[in-house]
Amino acid sequence: QDGKKNSATCTSLYTDSVFNGDDTTTFEFGDDSELTSGAEIYTQFGSSVYRMMLFSKAHETWVLIGNSVDDWVVYPVSASIGCVAPLTMQVANSAANQLTSARQQIAILQGSNGIYKFVDRQLTPIHYDIKNFYDKTSSDKINASMLSSSVGFVDEEHGEYHWLFASGSSTTLDKEVAYDLQREK
């Protein structure tokens, strides 16, 4: 939260704490507002595996794609959707696509207006079944003052993403909703 709050530095190859040399670099993401969360995900098409790093601010999302300092590229994903609750960004395995036999991971995160799934380099809303929690006139809406305190976790055994949040005027995480990763609802 000091200095360049919008940056991430990659360590030297095969190390976790060497931040100098030809194979280290720093990436900056958008304006100087701070990064709130990040996750590494992969996609596999046939025998090729592609790795991506997803970085979010409260209202922006970026992706870093590449395999080394020589070919990394930063791409904007959204200039309006980000992750307001850092503990909600979770990575989950997705089932193989029947048409392409592709396996991939997805990231799920809480934005200021809903829950989103990152797949195929884009954010897709998955909160239509629970849109009442984001309706300002609903009695069980998410508590705006507790927005950044929400938590998410993946239950691999049951193939679900769970979102815990504070509803109404609650100051504790009093609601839990599960998203079925296989049936996508």
Side-chain angles (χ1 to χ4, degrees):
Q1 296 177 338
D2 280 341
K4 293 186 176 190
K5 301 175 286 190
N6 65 329
S7 67
T9 301
C10 176
T11 66
S12 186
L13 192 60
Y14 306 118
T15 71
D16 61 8
S17 60
V18 177
F19 296 100
N20 59 14
D22 293 341
D23 59 347
T24 62
T25 190
T26 298
F27 298 96
E28 291 186 23
F29 303 92
D31 64 17
D32 65 351
S33 59
E34 71 181 351
L35 293 169
T36 58
S37 59
E40 180 182 25
I41 58 177
Y42 77 89
T43 302
Q44 178 181 352
F45 295 103
S47 62
S48 299
V49 176
Y50 301 93
R51 293 175 35 204
M52 295 179 271
M53 287 290 298
L54 185 66
F55 291 93
S56 284
K57 298 179 176 191
H59 300 288
E60 293 179 7
T61 301
W62 302 80
V63 67
L64 174 65
I65 299 175
N67 293 311
S68 72
V69 70
D70 299 323
D71 65 357
W72 279 323
V73 180
V74 174
Y75 294 101
V77 174
S78 176
S80 60
I81 300 169
C83 183
V84 296
L87 296 178
T88 63
M89 183 179 280
Q90 299 293 320
V91 174
N93 292 314
S94 177
N97 182 320
Q98 299 289 333
L99 301 175
T100 64
S101 70
R103 293 198 58 79
Q104 61 188 354
Q105 290 182 319
I106 61 171
I108 299 177
L109 57 95
Q110 175 189 318
S112 60
N113 298 333
I115 307 296
Y116 297 88
K117 169 175 72 170
F118 176 81
V119 64
D120 296 330
R121 291 175 39 183
Q122 61 185 340
L123 288 167
T124 304
I126 60 171
H127 56 265
Y128 294 118
D129 291 346
I130 57 169
K131 62 185 174 188
N132 57 302
F133 297 130
Y134 284 92
D135 179 354
K136 293 180 171 117
T137 63
S138 177
S139 63
D140 60 352
K141 69 183 178 296
I142 189 167
N143 181 343
S145 66
M146 294 287 293
L147 196 62
S148 64
S149 300
S150 299
V151 174
F153 67 91
V154 175
D155 178 348
E156 292 288 348
E157 183 178 340
H158 295 100
E160 298 171 338
Y161 170 83
H162 290 253
W163 174 52
L164 292 76
F165 64 98
S167 68
S169 59
S170 178
T171 57
T172 61
L173 304 181
D174 65 334
K175 296 273 188 194
E176 181 175 352
V177 176
Y179 176 74
D180 186 319
L181 295 163
Q182 299 300 314
R183 294 186 307 168
E184 297 186 331
K185 64 180 189 173

